[in-house]
Amino acid sequence: MLNRAIVEGSALAVLALAVGLVWVRERRAARPESDGGYTTREEIEFEIGRVQSEVYRWLTTTDHRDIGLLYIFFGTAAGLWGGVDAMMLRTELLTPPADIWTPETYNALFTTHGLTMLIFFVLPVFFGIGNYVLPLLIGADDMAFPRVNAVGFWLLPPALILVRMGLLIQVLGQVLNLMLPAEAIRFFLTMREVSVGWTLYAPLSVQQPNPQIDLLLLGLHLSGIATTVGAINFITTVVYERGEGVTWANLDIFSWNMVVTSGIALFAFPLLGSALVMLLLDRNLGTAFFATEGGGAILWQHLFWFWGHPEVYILFLPATGLMSLILPKFVGRKLFGYQFIVYSTLGLGVLSFGVWAHHMFTTSADPRVKLSFMAVSIAIAVPSAIKVFNWITTMWEGDIRLTAPFILCAGGIGTFIVGGVTGVFLAVIPIDILYHGTYYVVGHFHLIVVGIIPFLMIAASYYWYPLITGRWYDTRLARFQSLLIVFGSFVTFMTLLVIGGLGLPRRQAIYPPEYQFAQQIATVGGYVIGLSALLWLYNMLVSYWRGTPVTTTDPWGLKATNQFTREWQWFERRMVEKYDVEPTEPETTRRSYAPEGEPTGLAGGVGTVAQTVSRNAWMAAAGGFVGTVLMSGGLGTAILIGVLDPVSFGEIAELVGLPASPALGAVLFLVGGTVTWPLLFLAFSEYLPGRLLFETGLVFATLISSGFAIAFYTGQSGLAFVGYLTFVVVSHWAYGIGLTVTFQYLKSDEALRNRGGSDG
Ligand code: HEM
Ligand SMILES: [Cu+2]
């Protein structure tokens, strides 16, 4: 059994050291100075003086861009800390018994992981992005209250330290223990990380003696104040500081999201504060808010989730704002349905306060009350779906540029679809009663909190990297990193959905051996996510010193599609003033909504028959593979919830004269999906209805889905039949989209190489 405090402390120290070393090394290398001379005393004094003034500047700044960066640095550091917790959790789950950490340590890990990620990672990073770009986007000079802004930020570090004091004190205690007797440092040895779960459910959180719980409650309270203060600042800024010509009707979509998010925070966080104070009083002064003879444990759950569900939208809405802002830039089309996206955001803001009891379906609340919460919870899927459809429509016929931000946007839409759909199932009481407390829930919400949220943060970091640093990040590494994190997330959290569907309970260090293989897959996927996070960090650090300097005022070529938005106009002004560069003019401009395209052969041009055949063959294989992978997600879920019978795969095998084994059938199905159908699609794509690949792909997928529906029908009726058909069609659409996006990419790649161009 390993010592958690020492392992985690060392992991964090190594991480911090590595970041420091990379920074110092790159910084040195970036300076063209090496005349072999000695460093003089004056030089050293100058250096020290510079460090001093830099430290002073960062501690006292009230500039929105500086504070934005502080928030982002802080959030990233907290995210890495919570990430280390996650890696430790997944490591424990490599084997069925609790042989790496004790079950107690495991409980502490998932508690601190959840709290750190939800409170100290996501919110600060989004507030940071908001601080940096929101004033630029709305043409304001700064936030409405610059000093309050600084105070809001500086409340966070002490809050984090209070919340995670357990680990710090434990590490300190173990170090002191080497020198002092245990008696003298009892305090250090009794404090440990909180292990009651991030929901802090009473009565456990009232009864556990660990004094760290009290510090944690104080820390959370402090972070709540910080959030409320920040939220007020965002709202005031957007209401009163908008520049000339910025109206509510043309306010950019990210600022809209930040306003709604702040509005939610303004109502939710004071409530959390009250609940935390009540819990503190129960623990320390003998009040009985959450005792059975008082409000009861259910009261805590009501209060907690009345904050907790809006909180998930506080985390999620800024990510959708970034999606709506960034996606159009990389498909060369204006955001489709701006108004609908604004309304859906407002709708989510309001509805998010009306669904909290869907977290309490397994408590003894009145069934009629639960039923109304079920209805609202299903209804809340509508505004979320509106966003998804508008994003997909924005991509439709778009001129896709396969850059890292685009990959992350597309991946985010994918994870959100699966995460959202599985959420709708959880909103249905009988299904929730089955899956509540299983890994299914973990899979559901991680597809959203890991899927769309960090994806879009990373996308934003790439998208605005030239604006913030004046340099390019390593685009190849970034593309690889993006693919890696999308891939890792799907592997990890789809696996959790499956093992949850099979009934494995979550929050347990020990599990039955038959789940070991699946748990190992999930753990490897988790490590892939961790690795890609490190690659991102490396790219950010190194490119700051060594990235290619930006020489144009329009690094993303946004003028060509009329998407040169305000923050880039600000960037252009700065480039012109500071570096005297000429404003960039695009060679060609085109309307954001491209006119109808001519149908052309897939790779354009003509070649020898052999060339065409081989090119088509490998294109088909690549497209088919991507499509089939996407599709298996939908079919897997269908099997999981019982609307698709896996036995029917056996019949496919029988059909071609093989034994009726579902596994054989599945293999045949995969081969067909990868080889046959894409080739057919390539052959017929010019004759299928639809102007461009996306549309033709969907038509094709819909056509073949009818064949699938007939071949795999196993007597479902009623609701199961509707579910079966829906899943078949939706999975085929996923297939069609995977197919056509891959084709489009290969096509543009080829076109690019023919022109001898390279990608920016
Ligand atoms: C918008 C982004 C979303 C986030 C960040 C999110 C996050 C979460 C989290 C953290 C939990 C776990 C609660 C626990 O610890 O037990 C959860 C559970 C749940 N989510 Fe979501 N969720 C999101 C979207 C949705 C949607 C769209 C729905 C349904 C329409 C939904 C329905 C549920 C339900 C019913 C549960 C309770 C499951 C249970 O307690 O067994 N969620 N979600
Ligand atoms: Cu909820």
Side-chain angles (χ1 to χ4, degrees):
M1 214 72 80
L2 298 176
N3 180 324
R4 182 257 170 132
I6 295 298
V7 172
E8 183 158 12
S10 326
L12 286 168
V14 168
L15 202 60
L17 208 65
V19 168
L21 279 178
V22 169
W23 185 255
V24 170
R25 206 196 63 197
E26 297 306 314
R27 188 174 171 215
R28 285 247 181 82
R31 216 171 10 191
E33 117 197 306
S34 56
D35 53 2
Y38 295 98
T39 319
T40 63
R41 178 187 266 282
E42 287 75 42
E43 270 169 358
I44 293 176
E45 271 169 10
F46 174 74
E47 223 9 59
I48 292 176
R50 244 179 45 126
V51 169
Q52 273 174 346
S53 70
E54 281 283 284
V55 169
Y56 183 75
R57 179 171 92 87
W58 285 103
L59 287 179
T60 55
T61 179
T62 57
D63 179 82
H64 72 98
R65 286 191 289 133
D66 289 346
I67 294 180
L69 290 177
L70 283 173
Y71 265 118
I72 292 171
F73 296 146
F74 172 82
T76 308
L80 291 170
W81 193 347
V84 169
D85 287 329
M87 295 302 125
M88 291 167 70
L89 279 171
R90 287 300 340 164
T91 307
E92 169 60 62
L93 295 171
L94 278 172
T95 54
D99 48 7
I100 296 174
W101 325 110
T102 60
E104 161 83 12
T105 302
Y106 182 84
N107 293 353
L109 282 171
F110 70 65
T111 305
T112 54
H113 162 68
L115 283 170
T116 312
M117 288 305 201
L118 295 177
I119 310 253
F120 295 102
F121 163 54
V122 182
L123 206 88
V125 171
F126 282 142
F127 270 22
I129 297 175
N131 252 293
Y132 200 103
V133 300
L134 186 137
L136 302 181
L137 283 169
I138 65 170
D141 295 334
D142 200 326
M143 296 291 282
F145 308 117
R147 271 182 253 187
V148 175
N149 203 17
V151 172
F153 169 75
W154 285 107
L155 289 177
L156 280 179
L160 175 64
I161 291 174
L162 277 173
V163 168
R164 305 239 26 199
M165 192 92 104
L167 182 70
L168 304 176
I169 293 187
Q170 244 184 311
V171 173
L172 198 64
Q174 296 190 1
V175 174
L176 288 178
N177 205 11
L178 300 176
M179 300 167 268
L180 299 171
E183 267 308 292
I185 51 165
R186 254 225 327 276
F187 169 74
F188 291 95
L189 299 178
T190 50
M191 288 280 257
R192 48 191 70 252
E193 289 277 55
V194 175
S195 56
V196 298
W198 79 277
T199 51
L200 307 170
Y201 277 161
L204 186 60
S205 53
V206 180
Q207 288 160 356
Q208 265 228 351
N210 182 2
Q212 170 59 23
I213 295 184
D214 298 306
L215 295 181
L216 178 129
L217 295 177
L218 287 172
L220 290 182
H221 197 69
L222 200 57
S223 86
I225 297 173
T227 307
T228 313
V229 165
I232 291 172
N233 215 347
F234 277 119
I235 295 176
T236 320
T237 306
V238 175
V239 173
Y240 290 111
E241 304 286 318
R242 269 174 289 136
E244 226 172 288
V246 185
T247 63
W248 287 106
N250 66 17
L251 184 65
D252 69 280
I253 205 78
F254 177 67
S255 303
W256 261 117
N257 275 276
M258 286 309 286
V259 179
V260 176
T261 304
S262 304
I264 303 178
L266 205 55
F267 287 99
F269 271 86
L271 185 112
L272 174 70
S274 327
L276 290 172
V277 170
M278 287 154 85
L279 189 54
L280 265 173
L281 293 178
D282 266 12
R283 281 179 60 81
N284 295 293
L285 297 181
T287 55
F289 291 112
F290 306 123
T292 321
E293 58 278 12
I298 297 291
L299 175 63
W300 170 261
Q301 294 203 22
H302 278 300
L303 294 177
F304 183 87
W305 287 115
F306 192 81
W307 161 78
H309 193 86
E311 162 73 3
V312 304
Y313 285 92
I314 293 174
L315 306 177
F316 161 76
L317 285 180
T320 66
L322 289 174
M323 175 80 83
S324 303
L325 186 89
I326 295 176
L327 182 68
K329 309 286 169 81
F330 294 92
V331 297
R333 296 197 55 189
K334 264 190 353 210
L335 178 67
F336 186 86
Y338 167 87
Q339 280 185 33
F340 292 98
I341 294 208
V342 171
Y343 289 141
S344 77
T345 308
L346 288 167
L348 284 175
V350 175
L351 284 177
S352 69
F353 283 98
V355 297
W356 77 90
H358 67 206
H359 297 270
M360 300 164 66
F361 283 158
T362 55
T363 65
S364 57
D366 186 317
R368 287 163 301 182
V369 175
K370 286 192 211 166
L371 205 63
S372 62
F373 276 97
M374 166 168 150
V376 185
S377 300
I378 295 173
I380 208 171
V382 174
S384 315
I386 288 177
K387 287 183 189 296
V388 170
F389 287 126
N390 279 297
W391 294 329
I392 292 181
T393 320
T394 305
M395 290 199 281
W396 201 283
E397 292 187 356
D399 201 356
I400 289 173
R401 283 194 276 169
L402 231 94
T403 55
F406 176 79
I407 295 172
L408 290 161
C409 285
I413 296 176
T415 52
F416 181 58
I417 291 177
V418 185
V421 169
T422 49
V424 179
F425 288 116
L426 281 179
V428 179
I429 298 174
I431 300 183
D432 184 58
I433 289 173
L434 277 176
Y435 290 128
H436 178 83
T438 68
Y439 270 99
Y440 183 89
V441 177
V442 185
H444 148 65
F445 70 82
H446 277 84
L447 280 164
I448 294 161
V449 294
V450 176
I452 189 165
I453 293 173
F455 286 9
L456 266 295
M457 287 177 183
I458 297 177
S461 74
Y462 290 140
Y463 173 58
W464 281 314
Y465 201 77
L467 180 130
I468 295 177
T469 65
R471 285 180 191 270
W472 279 104
Y473 57 86
D474 181 337
T475 50
R476 251 170 52 125
L477 179 60
R479 269 198 302 258
F480 176 67
Q481 185 269 332
S482 311
L483 285 172
L484 207 60
I485 199 166
V486 175
F487 173 76
S489 304
F490 268 105
V491 169
T492 310
F493 302 118
M494 294 294 254
T495 312
L496 296 190
L497 272 184
V498 173
I499 58 180
L502 298 174
L504 185 63
R506 66 181 170 131
R507 297 189 164 166
Q508 294 184 359
I510 300 165
Y511 60 88
E514 58 268 28
Y515 290 99
Q516 180 171 13
F517 184 58
Q519 287 279 27
Q520 286 172 342
I521 294 179
T523 298
V524 171
Y527 290 159
V528 170
I529 298 175
L531 174 70
S532 78
L534 293 180
L535 289 179
W536 169 81
L537 188 65
Y538 179 79
N539 200 346
M540 293 289 117
L541 292 173
V542 171
S543 306
Y544 183 80
W545 295 106
R546 300 243 226 151
T548 324
V550 177
T551 49
T552 115
T553 62
D554 181 14
W556 289 115
L558 298 177
K559 283 183 177 172
T561 52
N562 276 323
Q563 304 210 48
F564 197 65
T565 38
R566 276 170 190 274
E567 85 275 28
W568 291 107
Q569 292 165 16
W570 168 85
F571 176 75
E572 177 165 273
R573 281 197 303 279
R574 207 168 56 131
M575 290 287 275
V576 173
E577 280 164 22
K578 272 176 83 172
Y579 305 107
D580 214 17
V581 293
E582 286 282 300
T584 319
E585 280 312 318
E587 285 168 19
T588 56
T589 52
R590 60 188 171 76
R591 281 187 300 141
S592 228
Y593 288 87
E596 297 209 344
E598 298 284 318
T600 55
L602 194 61
V606 278
T608 67
V609 176
Q611 264 175 347
T612 313
V613 168
S614 80
R615 197 172 52 201
N616 280 358
W618 84 264
M619 269 192 172
F625 180 73
V626 174
T628 314
V629 169
L630 289 181
M631 178 178 198
S632 1
L635 293 182
T637 315
I639 291 176
L640 199 74
I641 62 170
V643 293
L644 172 61
D645 191 353
V647 171
S648 51
F649 280 96
E651 289 166 13
I652 295 280
E654 226 171 6
L655 212 63
V656 293
L658 290 166
S661 125
L664 265 181
V667 170
L668 280 176
F669 180 72
L670 286 181
V671 172
T674 310
V675 182
T676 324
W677 294 111
L679 271 177
L680 265 182
F681 175 66
L682 275 184
F684 288 120
S685 61
E686 294 192 50
Y687 306 100
L688 284 165
R691 289 180 302 255
L692 263 152
L693 276 175
F694 262 120
E695 211 174 337
T696 27
L698 289 184
V699 171
F700 180 69
T702 313
L703 289 178
I704 57 174
S705 73
S706 62
F708 183 100
I710 296 168
F712 284 74
Y713 177 68
T714 42
Q716 297 90 330
S717 62
L719 210 55
F721 183 63
V722 176
Y724 169 69
L725 283 185
T726 314
F727 261 95
V728 166
V729 174
V730 172
S731 317
H732 279 79
W733 284 346
Y735 175 76
I737 289 177
L739 205 64
T740 48
V741 169
T742 315
F743 284 167
Q744 209 149 34
Y745 169 58
L746 293 174
K747 188 177 127 184
S748 66
D749 194 42
E750 191 141 345
L752 215 59
R753 252 185 286 121
N754 289 345
R755 268 192 272 120
S758 71
D759 131 9

